Amino acid sequence: MLKLAERLVEAVRSSGVFNPDIQVAPACILWPDRDRQWEAVIPVLQAELPELMVLGDYAPEKRTGPAIWLRYAIAGFAEDVELPESKAPILYLPGVSRQDLRAVESCPDELKPLAELQYRGVIWSQVNAKDWTILAYLKSDQGGLGLDVAQDSESRHAMQLALYRLLDEEVELLKGKRLDKDYFNTLLTGGDPTRDLLLWLDQGEAFQAARGENEWQAFVSVCQSQLAFNPQQDGILAGCNKLANHEGPWQAVWERFCEAPNRYPHIPDQIRKCQPPAFDLFADESVAGGWPQWNQSQEEHLRRDLLALSNMPAHKAIEQLKELEQAHGGRRSLVWAELGEASLALALKHLATMAEHAKTALAAGTVTDLANGYASTGWKVDDSVMRALAEVTSNDDLNAVTAAIRSVYLPWMEDSARYLQRHMDGASYPGGSYENAPKFPAEQGDCVLFVDGLRFDTGKRLVERLETAGLEISETPVWTALPSVTATGKVAVSPVRDKIKGDDASADFEPAVAETGQSLKGGYHHKKLLKEAGWRVLDRTDNGDGQGFAWCEFGDIDHEGHDRGWKLAKHLDNLLQEVQTRITELLAAGWKRVRVVTDHGWLLLPGGLPKTELPSVLADSKWGRCAALKPGADTQERVFPWYWNPSHYFALADGVSCYKNGEEYAHGGLSLQECLTLQLVVTGGAGTQAAIEFTDLVWKGLRCTVAVEGQYKGLTLDIRTRAGEASSSVVLSAKPLKEDGRASVVVEDEDMEGQNAVVVLLDDNGALVAQTDTRIGGGDV
């Protein structure tokens, strides 16, 4: 489709078309414009018309000069201007009408050198011999564009001001439109009056200062016409008042603001300067929701109601949370939630979910019943607590959310833990001991990924991420080794666990190499056992080649939990994203399966877990939830056999209590949260292109050309320093593979030549499908 400027160029040039059999070529095309309507856009048109010259002061670099110079120029005598030979020169004559040229005797002296050109040249004019005005050209269907144009004075004025913008409009899109003052003013202000209004409300005087007088007046005119609002006379606060009320035509403006409120960061504070209407607690959100003051008052009411839960029994707190969710849940759809001003309403969604699932107690039946109940829905209580805490943005909000959590969550998990512990009195713990541990399941092409502290609910959250990425996952609930600490649990999920045992003297729950008695503390001897058993040990940046068996460790969940306490909830998604990236990197490197294993779960309770006393004289070592007792110590604490040495007993804290004061995050005890974990087996999935082979990889300077075979349709080529991190891309832009399986990309920074990198292939979702190492610029890796 042609733009108006292109159609105008065609129209002017076409006036010089002639029949060479019976006519001579016109000396020039004259473009008279008495009212100077076209003058503002002539510099734009000169870029498209190298033959266009202008009557005016002498400025040959602008192809502008007096009449006598124009005569010399079209005759080819002007050395300071070069005109195309194949085009008839076009002389634009601002302030000159066709009649001025016709009346030769009365023609001004400065125009007389041009007068005779009306006979040797042609004049671009209407069929009625009148000069082309902007309105005539847009409206006329004889030589013009035949558009529907308003003819009132305001529209004509706006049309002329907006002409330079109008030139960029596609003519086909203008047909069928009513081109009136609103259209031209909107065009002049950028074509988006709603956006401009929001920018003005946000920026104030800076908005006006950044625009010319014509654009500002056009903006004012559009606001008056479409909103019955005059920015110049009414002012910003009046506009913000109307925006907050969003009645009538302002509803569309409000919806636009809500689509991208962060683009207009000052508008909320501007609205706060206005006096809102009187709203009661149960005001209609569709009306009151435009006022941040109302939302703030709702948050304050909710904060008080959540704090009040601390004095309620659990069953009443559960009902109260349900009622609060009905009252406040709708605010999550308001713009204030997106702007971070409704954190309690956001947290309430998860608190209500916590309450709903906590109605089902896990304090009855067999151990198998407990495990099945937790694996089915019980883990969602833990997950909801973490998600609620992730929404907290202030200490006041933390106190309110903590009150709700402790009123429902604490008794729920306390009852569950105590029931499980009582059930284990004199019974066999389902996690067993090293003596009856099954053989580690391993197949060629397996990579075992150990993630410290991947609790059941975090494992479920990881599964959701992996499935979204198109991977296939099988899940297996697994009881951890006791006590549920890393020293005991990590090597219990290791492929070489059959070569490990514990001695009676271990007070830190650290087992040893069965054959030599060497401690596994520090990890050296564990890695040595793995290598001797034929397992490759990968460090955090090594993906291997997919051959044989591999063991690697990744993830900082447990470390972050001990360091941050409840704030782990705010970082959990980022930590799981890193684990997901590691898994996709390993699969892309060629591993058939990634087996995700973990050592233990954990308890997390804002405000601290209950404390239980254990005199130091009774314990060789005392951790958060477990303690190694001195030989012969007499205690009322429950004692359990150590996984690595069933004759060596240790104490576990009662319920969900802790031997240390003020611990928000702890593990080592006996509870579903600490002891029932989720092991995962991740494979590429049916939708993942599996059989991809790099057949060629060639560097020419900083350009890398790759050829592949296999199921490569829809894949994209990129080069990164870290395969799983899109932000580490070093190329100008990633490129899709062509139909022949080839593509080439260019590295942006020449200083990177010689550095190691990874060539990766990505699917439509950005997931890694295949990768190979390379050295930028070529050479051996």
Side-chain angles (χ1 to χ4, degrees):
M1 291 187 289
L2 295 178
K3 294 182 178 180
L4 194 148
E6 295 170 308
R7 291 290 296 272
L8 180 61
V9 166
E10 286 182 354
V12 177
R13 279 178 171 167
S14 64
S15 63
V17 173
F18 67 100
N19 184 345
D21 294 332
I22 58 175
Q23 294 175 299
V24 297
C28 64
I29 299 172
L30 299 176
W31 182 352
D33 183 12
R34 184 189 63 185
D35 298 327
R36 299 177 178 266
Q37 291 191 11
W38 302 95
E39 187 172 26
V41 299
I42 290 301
V44 177
L45 295 175
Q46 281 186 303
E48 303 295 328
L49 293 166
E51 69 271 29
L52 175 59
M53 294 184 292
V54 182
L55 176 67
D57 295 333
Y58 180 65
E61 71 281 1
K62 298 180 180 179
R63 303 204 296 273
T64 300
I68 190 64
W69 178 81
L70 293 177
R71 286 292 300 273
Y72 273 91
I74 64 175
F77 298 129
E79 297 180 356
D80 44 11
V81 66
E82 184 175 348
L83 298 176
E85 296 181 0
S86 60
K87 303 291 184 183
I90 302 171
L91 305 185
Y92 173 69
L93 311 176
V96 177
S97 70
R98 180 176 181 144
Q99 297 303 317
D100 291 334
L101 295 176
R102 284 193 174 278
V104 177
E105 297 80 4
S106 59
C107 182
D109 291 341
E110 62 271 18
L111 291 181
K112 285 181 177 178
L114 302 178
E116 65 91 15
L117 290 177
Q118 63 185 304
Y119 305 112
R120 290 197 299 118
V122 295
I123 299 176
W124 184 53
S125 61
Q126 301 183 56
V127 293
N128 59 7
K130 291 184 177 180
D131 296 344
W132 278 113
T133 63
I134 300 172
L135 176 62
Y137 180 68
L138 295 178
K139 192 171 181 61
S140 174
D141 54 8
Q142 295 185 354
L145 301 178
L147 301 175
D148 181 12
V149 186
Q151 301 184 55
D152 59 278
S153 59
E154 289 182 337
S155 295
R156 290 200 302 271
H157 177 68
M159 176 176 56
Q160 181 152 0
L161 294 178
L163 181 58
Y164 71 98
R165 294 277 178 86
L166 192 61
L167 290 179
D168 284 332
E169 296 297 292
E170 294 178 346
V171 175
E172 288 300 316
L173 298 180
L174 294 176
K175 292 180 178 179
K177 288 184 179 179
R178 176 64 172 172
L179 308 186
D180 55 13
K181 64 176 182 179
D182 281 352
Y183 175 83
F184 294 121
N185 283 327
T186 297
L187 199 61
L188 182 60
T189 58
D192 193 341
T194 303
R195 179 204 60 195
D196 288 342
L197 176 57
L198 290 170
L199 287 173
W200 173 68
L201 294 175
D202 181 67
Q203 299 172 5
E205 293 181 0
F207 173 87
Q208 182 177 353
R211 283 151 180 78
E213 181 61 25
N214 288 341
E215 290 185 17
W216 169 252
Q217 291 303 325
F219 168 69
V220 171
S221 178
V222 170
C223 290
Q224 285 181 294
S225 175
Q226 297 185 5
L227 299 169
F229 173 75
N230 188 317
Q232 191 159 302
Q233 295 177 3
D234 299 334
I236 287 177
L237 294 187
C240 286
N241 192 300
K242 290 180 176 292
L243 178 66
N245 285 320
H246 49 273
E247 297 175 349
W250 284 85
Q251 177 65 33
V253 183
W254 173 253
E255 290 174 356
R256 183 68 170 276
F257 169 65
C258 293
E259 288 174 3
N262 290 299
R263 292 182 180 177
Y264 316 102
H266 302 112
I267 284 181
D269 285 338
Q270 296 283 44
I271 296 177
R272 287 187 178 93
K273 297 175 183 177
C274 305
Q275 181 63 40
F279 296 116
D280 61 26
L281 181 62
F282 305 102
D284 183 354
E285 289 174 3
S286 64
V287 178
W291 293 91
Q293 298 95 317
W294 175 81
N295 176 71
Q296 183 177 348
S297 71
Q298 294 287 290
E299 284 284 286
E300 291 170 354
H301 281 293
L302 178 55
R303 186 177 298 111
R304 289 195 295 269
D305 289 339
L306 291 176
L307 287 169
L309 297 179
S310 60
N311 299 318
M312 293 184 186
H315 69 280
K316 287 189 176 180
I318 288 174
E319 291 304 314
Q320 181 66 10
L321 283 170
K322 182 178 180 180
E323 293 178 8
L324 291 174
E325 168 64 9
Q326 291 175 344
H328 294 274
R331 288 195 294 116
R332 290 192 291 271
S333 64
L334 299 180
V335 68
W336 313 117
E338 184 173 346
L339 290 173
E341 297 183 17
S343 58
L344 287 180
L346 292 170
L348 182 60
K349 172 184 178 181
H350 307 298
L351 293 174
T353 301
M354 171 197 72
E356 179 64 27
H357 291 295
K359 290 191 299 185
T360 303
L362 294 178
T366 65
V367 173
T368 301
D369 293 333
L370 292 181
N372 289 340
Y374 186 74
S376 175
T377 59
W379 65 269
K380 296 180 181 179
V381 182
D382 302 318
D383 181 65
S384 299
V385 168
M386 297 297 289
R387 292 182 187 274
L389 287 170
E391 301 291 354
V392 168
T393 58
S394 70
N395 285 332
D396 288 342
D397 289 351
L398 173 61
N399 292 335
V401 171
T402 296
I405 289 172
R406 295 183 74 90
S407 68
V408 174
Y409 183 55
L410 176 56
W412 178 82
M413 66 175 179
E414 185 85 83
D415 290 345
S416 171
R418 284 181 173 159
Y419 182 83
L420 176 62
Q421 291 162 11
R422 288 195 301 270
H423 212 285
M424 289 294 98
D425 280 344
S428 176
Y429 172 66
S433 72
Y434 82 102
E435 295 174 327
N436 53 25
K439 184 179 179 180
F440 189 90
E443 303 175 52
Q444 285 284 335
D446 276 7
C447 180
V448 178
L449 176 64
F450 171 77
V451 181
D452 195 354
L454 187 69
R455 194 169 72 169
F456 199 101
D457 58 310
T458 57
K460 282 289 192 178
R461 207 186 292 195
L462 178 60
V463 167
E464 182 181 1
R465 285 176 164 275
L466 296 171
E467 287 179 339
T468 300
L471 302 177
E472 288 187 353
I473 305 97
S474 66
E475 309 171 30
T476 305
V478 174
W479 289 93
T480 66
L482 282 185
S484 50
V485 295
T486 300
T488 290
K490 178 178 177 180
V491 289
V493 294
S494 164
V496 292
R497 60 193 177 197
D498 58 336
K499 303 179 185 302
I500 298 167
K501 65 179 295 185
D503 60 47
D504 294 338
S506 178
D508 56 4
F509 312 112
E510 196 81 54
V513 179
E515 186 174 326
T516 65
Q518 294 167 309
S519 173
L520 297 180
K521 194 170 186 177
Y524 171 78
H525 288 289
H526 178 225
K527 292 178 181 177
K528 184 179 179 182
L529 286 175
L530 286 165
K531 292 176 182 177
E532 289 173 350
W535 286 74
R536 179 175 178 178
V537 178
L538 306 176
D539 63 27
R540 292 176 67 92
T541 59
D542 184 5
N543 296 322
D545 56 10
Q547 302 301 310
F549 305 91
W551 166 276
C552 58
E553 301 172 18
F554 194 85
D556 297 315
I557 297 172
D558 191 45
H559 175 77
E560 293 291 312
H562 286 296
D563 279 358
R564 297 180 183 272
W566 75 267
K567 290 183 181 178
L568 169 65
K570 299 184 74 66
H571 300 271
L572 190 55
D573 274 332
N574 289 334
L575 295 172
L576 291 176
Q577 174 61 55
E578 292 176 353
V579 175
Q580 176 188 349
T581 297
R582 184 71 171 124
I583 292 171
T584 56
E585 287 178 344
L586 292 168
L587 290 172
W591 296 104
K592 294 180 181 178
R593 287 164 297 277
V594 176
R595 296 183 180 271
V596 182
V597 298
T598 191
D599 48 356
H600 58 75
W602 31 268
L603 299 175
L604 185 144
L605 185 69
L609 293 160
K611 185 176 186 298
T612 189
E613 295 295 337
L614 177 67
S616 298
V617 296
L618 299 178
D620 281 332
S621 67
K622 187 165 57 175
W623 296 20
R625 293 267 294 147
C626 60
L629 298 176
K630 291 182 177 180
D634 184 17
T635 177
Q636 298 300 312
E637 299 294 314
R638 286 191 174 90
V639 293
F640 295 86
W642 183 29
Y643 179 88
W644 292 109
N645 185 346
S647 64
H648 184 37
Y649 283 77
F650 58 91
L652 294 183
D654 180 60
V656 294
S657 62
C658 194
Y659 290 133
K660 296 181 180 180
N661 191 40
E663 294 286 296
E664 291 185 325
Y665 175 96
H667 56 87
L670 179 56
S671 68
L672 291 167
Q673 287 79 5
E674 296 165 281
C675 296
L676 190 63
T677 62
L678 199 60
Q679 290 190 1
L680 311 175
V681 177
V682 187
T683 56
T688 303
Q689 293 89 345
I692 297 293
E693 180 183 356
F694 289 90
T695 58
D696 199 12
L697 195 160
V698 178
W699 285 94
K700 290 185 178 180
L702 294 179
R703 178 179 290 277
C704 178
T705 301
V706 169
V708 301
E709 290 182 352
Q711 301 174 33
Y712 54 76
K713 185 177 181 181
L715 298 185
T716 300
L717 172 68
D718 195 5
I719 299 179
R720 302 172 175 178
T721 55
R722 285 276 294 164
E725 295 180 4
S727 60
S728 71
S729 174
V730 298
V731 302
L732 291 170
S733 62
K735 294 295 180 62
L737 293 176
K738 298 178 182 178
E739 291 185 0
D740 61 356
R742 303 179 69 86
S744 63
V745 290
V746 178
V747 173
E748 187 171 12
D749 185 357
E750 61 183 17
D751 292 337
M752 296 199 69
E753 187 168 3
Q755 296 187 27
N756 291 336
V758 187
V759 175
V760 299
L761 296 179
L762 311 168
D763 64 16
D764 291 340
N765 297 316
L768 286 169
V769 173
Q771 66 184 64
T772 186
D773 295 333
T774 189
R775 186 182 298 277
I776 295 175
D780 295 334
V781 179

